[in-house]
Amino acid sequence: MTEPRDFLKKISPYKPGRPIEEVARVLGLKGEIIKLASNENPMGPSPLAVQALKNALVESNLYPDDSCFHLKKKLAERMGVEPGNIFVGNGSVEILPLITLAYLGPEHSAVASQSAFIWFKIAAQIAAGELVEVPMKDYRHDLKAMLKAITNNTRLVFIANPNNPTGTIVTRAEVEDFFKNVPEDVLVVMDEAYFEYIDDPDYPESLRYLREGRNILILRTFSKVYGLAGVRLGYGMAPPEVIASLSKLRISFSVNLLSQVAGMAALDDHTHVEKSRATNAAGKKYLYEAYRKLGLFYLPTYANFLFVDFGKDSQVVFESLQKKGIITRTIKEYGFPHALRITIGTEDQNRKLIKALGEML
Ligand SMILES: Cc1ncc(COP(=O)(O)O)c(C=O)c1O
């Protein structure tokens, strides 16, 4: 056998939440299975996007527009930036290794929190670069400590805001202070996958830093509020020089025809976005109260999932829930062996979850 290159040995591949079909097949479950494992939108995909997908199917024989002209134009108008500030990916996660391949090498380091979204670590490893992991403070990114971890070799800082799996944010004031002090040659990657769920005045306006010409790359996705996780579509916004560097690493046509039309339609589906936000807000309120009554520690969330601590090996809880047809997510690899990350579902799904937990605990 051909020996793989050394840096590959360090990489542990990402473990996604288990798909419904797999759980049904492996456990031989018959009835309804509820997936609360991957922070998808329980309200389903945007209906406007579904219609656009159906309409576009008949053009599947043609390669898509590799420049994503119309989607970039629409996003640029919506965000108040130029199309040249936008990079579109097959999901936002696809963009992470392109960032590290463009900017990180074995002689460089990137900085992130110890329990930050784990793809930051994988992306650094893919580029054979080092990821310096800074402990969190009260389950939140410690931006002051992250600043201190920056050295002459640092090229990138990754900040998931809100963070997955904690659901916590760094505030406007904290980010302001961070940008006052971060060296200009360090690219700050702000992963805002859950952006559309947030209406807190304390949440930073990251686009302002881009408009001010700062060295920032903002990641957003259609996988969450727009309900298009299965279609795969995400984007990054950054100075044109950064977009040009990433573009050299793109695989041609990685953003397919269906993703592009679905994304365009979803951006116009304000009704679906509002319904999804309202369902999430109501679910959050219900679950806070329910977890409090069950005596469980949870972190108030800015996203569409909750970090819940069970005070014991969470594998047991995960498996018991799974047997009852509810798929959640263990987060041991983030350093939390006692907690589960559980997506906020529909009202009915949340009630079934709490009923199952009540019976179990
Ligand atoms: C912080 C964060 N970034 C990115 C993603 C993935 O997004 P995408 O589906 O666009 O690749 C997730 C998904 O759970 C996430 O939590």
Side-chain angles (χ1 to χ4, degrees), residues 14 37-40 89-96 116-120 159-165 191-194 219-224 228-230 232-235 303-305 334 341:
Y14 182 73
S38 303
N39 310 335
E40 292 138 335
N90 191 299
S92 61
V93 143
E94 188 198 29
I95 305 172
L96 289 169
F117 183 45
I118 216 149
W119 250 102
F120 301 155
I159 303 169
N161 201 31
N163 186 45
N164 173 0
D191 184 339
E192 299 185 337
Y194 304 92
L219 289 173
R220 304 248 176 105
T221 182
F222 285 83
S223 298
K224 308 300 172 185
L228 295 174
R232 309 303 301 134
L233 185 66
Y235 58 102
N304 67 345
F305 60 86
Y334 289 89
R341 193 195 68 200

Side-chain angles (χ1 to χ4, degrees), residues 51-215:
Q51 192 53 51
L53 283 164
K54 285 183 185 159
N55 296 347
L57 281 172
V58 291
E59 286 176 44
S60 299
N61 60 313
L62 300 175
Y63 283 103
D65 168 15
D66 198 33
S67 73
C68 298
F69 177 85
H70 293 290
L71 179 58
K72 278 188 193 167
K73 187 163 172 283
K74 194 163 194 135
L75 280 170
E77 281 163 10
R78 185 70 59 89
M79 303 299 156
V81 297
E82 296 298 319
N85 290 121
I86 297 182
F87 183 92
V88 186
N90 191 299
S92 61
V93 143
E94 188 198 29
I95 305 172
L96 289 169
L98 303 185
I99 298 169
T100 54
L101 288 169
Y103 294 103
L104 210 64
E107 67 278 31
H108 301 132
S109 66
V111 171
S113 287
Q114 218 160 42
S115 302
F117 183 45
I118 216 149
W119 250 102
F120 301 155
K121 185 193 266 175
I122 300 173
Q125 290 170 333
I126 286 175
E130 185 202 359
L131 183 72
V132 176
E133 293 179 274
V134 179
M136 288 183 127
K137 207 169 165 183
D138 298 329
Y139 300 94
R140 299 195 318 119
H141 302 306
D142 185 349
L143 289 187
K144 281 199 164 57
M146 286 168 73
L147 272 176
K148 285 196 190 127
I150 293 173
T151 65
N152 289 339
N153 299 330
T154 306
R155 307 292 302 276
L156 299 168
V157 174
F158 290 104
I159 303 169
N161 201 31
N163 186 45
N164 173 0
T166 50
T168 52
I169 61 161
V170 280
T171 64
R172 189 177 279 264
E174 286 166 333
V175 170
E176 184 66 22
D177 183 63
F178 180 81
F179 270 102
K180 276 194 188 126
N181 292 293
V182 70
E184 276 180 18
D185 61 351
V186 171
L187 175 62
V188 180
V189 180
M190 298 283 276
D191 184 339
E192 299 185 337
Y194 304 92
F195 172 83
E196 295 83 1
Y197 286 106
I198 303 169
D199 51 13
D200 190 304
D202 249 3
Y203 187 71
E205 195 201 342
S206 54
L207 272 170
R208 202 193 85 213
Y209 297 98
L210 176 60
R211 291 191 203 106
E212 287 173 3
R214 300 297 306 237
N215 196 8

